Amino acid sequence: MSAISWEDPFCGEGANCFRIGTDTEGNAYIAVAGQEDRPLTDSREALRSLILEIKAGGADHLL
């Protein structure tokens, strides 16, 4: 497994922080900050699709 390059944490109110990372093999990772040893893993394309859907309002009902 390649080393994961983690982005800085994205934190909401109440310090609910998530981190996004990628590796050189085309994998993407999402983890709770401080729990990077237990990430959700998928392809970079899946992460890209998720981000685009969220930006388009696909998760607004969760707000």
Side-chain angles (χ1 to χ4, degrees):
M1 182 168 106
S2 295
I4 300 170
S5 177
W6 291 103
E7 298 288 329
D8 289 336
F10 295 93
C11 299
E13 294 180 27
N16 298 314
C17 301
F18 293 91
R19 295 188 77 184
I20 295 175
T22 57
D23 66 20
T24 58
E25 296 177 12
N27 299 307
Y29 305 85
I30 300 174
V32 174
Q35 298 180 23
E36 290 84 354
D37 58 328
R38 297 182 297 191
L40 171 69
T41 307
D42 208 324
S43 68
R44 286 187 189 191
E45 184 56 36
L47 176 61
R48 181 180 183 279
S49 295
L50 173 66
I51 291 170
L52 289 173
E53 183 65 25
I54 290 170
K55 288 177 75 173
D60 287 356
H61 64 283
L62 300 173
L63 300 176

